Amino acid sequence: MEIGARIARAQVEGLARSRRQIVAGPLAGMLHDRDDWYLSTMVAAEPGRAFIPDEVAPSLAIIRQAFAAEGRWLSAELVDEANPGLAEALEADGMTIVSRLPLLVVEPDDLITPELPAGVTVKLVASDDDQKLVNEVSAEAYEMEGAGFDFKPDPSNGGAVLVYADDVPVATAAWTAVADAVTEVAGVGTLHSHRRRGFGGIATAYATLKSFELAGATLAWLTPGDDGADRVYRRLGYAPRATAVHLGDPGGHLADLR
């Protein structure tokens, strides 16, 4: 299977474990019970299969209505190579392409785990108390109150690591639910006071390593937020294999229900 389609299919399966699906033609809305904007999204329902262009507009209307009914802003995450042209079809129906980013992947034999500087340790998140610390680091790193996730005892459903500098938690990274031995490494965040010191790269590398060792993943992927992050991830062995496309729906179409 082409790697872009494999990643996109694994993403659909992983998201479906913790979200309600609204499948409409070539699209699948993924609604999380929490209303944080970043937890609900839309993906391609059948990565790797050609879509029927005339089905896009009515399918998008169904998912817009479902998201609006629950007060959710609609965004979409696609792998361009898995469904060529779908992003442009959504754009033609009023969505906005926010970004096209290189989708970087790494396999176990290619992962480069950096040596830990003196005073730096990495801890696997293993309890609700650990997860609370992760969420506190994420909230400060992303300047977003309430950022973070719930602790998942089973690593195959996702997990996280915390990087400590002199016993102070300063950075974190997580992996998502594993499907078809694929996981996304996400939620990489470092306290503002400790940036540009390599902690984000350490967190990314160890989250990737633990997804391989504990969760059964054999392929990890991520998307860099900027050129600096891209360089960091490539030094860890990540390499571009596809293209991620992120879209937003201006205004969220909530006005339709008012």
Side-chain angles (χ1 to χ4, degrees):
M1 183 191 305
E2 193 270 331
I3 194 167
R6 179 186 173 193
I7 289 170
R9 288 182 185 180
Q11 184 185 31
V12 172
E13 183 179 333
L15 288 170
R17 294 184 193 176
S18 58
R19 291 157 177 82
R20 289 170 283 127
Q21 294 187 74
I22 298 96
V23 178
L27 307 173
M30 298 287 185
L31 278 166
H32 198 283
D33 288 339
R34 281 171 50 186
D35 62 4
D36 305 76
W37 69 267
Y38 57 90
L39 292 178
S40 296
T41 190
M42 181 176 69
V43 295
E46 297 183 298
R49 292 189 61 180
F51 65 93
I52 299 172
D54 289 345
E55 290 185 353
V56 174
S59 299
L60 180 57
I62 291 169
I63 292 178
R64 276 175 168 156
Q65 186 73 8
F67 272 60
E70 299 196 23
R72 308 296 174 80
W73 180 71
L74 179 61
S75 63
E77 302 177 23
L78 305 176
V79 179
D80 213 13
E81 291 78 2
N83 297 95
L86 183 55
E88 289 74 18
L90 292 171
E91 184 179 39
D93 283 310
M95 296 195 75
T96 299
I97 295 177
V98 177
S99 62
R100 288 183 183 273
L101 301 170
L103 194 155
L104 309 181
V105 308
V106 69
E107 296 176 282
D109 289 345
D110 297 321
L111 179 65
I112 300 169
T113 306
E115 291 188 17
L116 299 181
V120 175
T121 57
V122 181
K123 180 178 182 180
L124 177 71
V125 172
S127 68
D128 288 326
D129 287 341
D130 289 343
Q131 187 67 50
K132 182 178 178 182
L133 291 174
V134 166
N135 294 346
E136 289 173 357
V137 171
S138 296
E140 200 273 2
Y142 288 101
E143 299 180 356
M144 186 167 60
E145 186 177 351
F149 300 92
D150 297 328
F151 170 62
K152 300 177 182 66
D154 182 350
S156 68
N157 289 324
V161 298
L162 265 172
V163 178
Y164 287 77
D166 299 321
D167 298 322
V168 176
V170 298
T172 185
W175 69 90
T176 62
V178 177
D180 190 25
V182 176
T183 187
E184 178 185 7
V185 173
V188 181
T190 304
L191 297 181
H192 289 273
S193 59
H194 287 74
R195 290 183 175 176
R196 300 187 181 280
R197 293 165 60 179
F199 296 127
I202 291 170
T204 302
Y206 277 85
T208 306
L209 179 65
K210 294 305 177 183
S211 78
F212 293 154
E213 292 181 341
L214 303 176
T218 60
L219 181 72
W221 67 276
L222 49 70
T223 51
D226 54 41
D227 290 342
D230 186 280
R231 289 191 292 271
V232 169
Y233 299 146
R234 295 190 193 215
R235 287 197 292 268
L236 302 177
Y238 278 88
R241 296 290 298 277
T243 309
V245 186
H246 297 159
L247 301 96
D249 206 16
H253 289 262
L254 298 184
D256 293 346
L257 297 185
R258 293 175 187 159

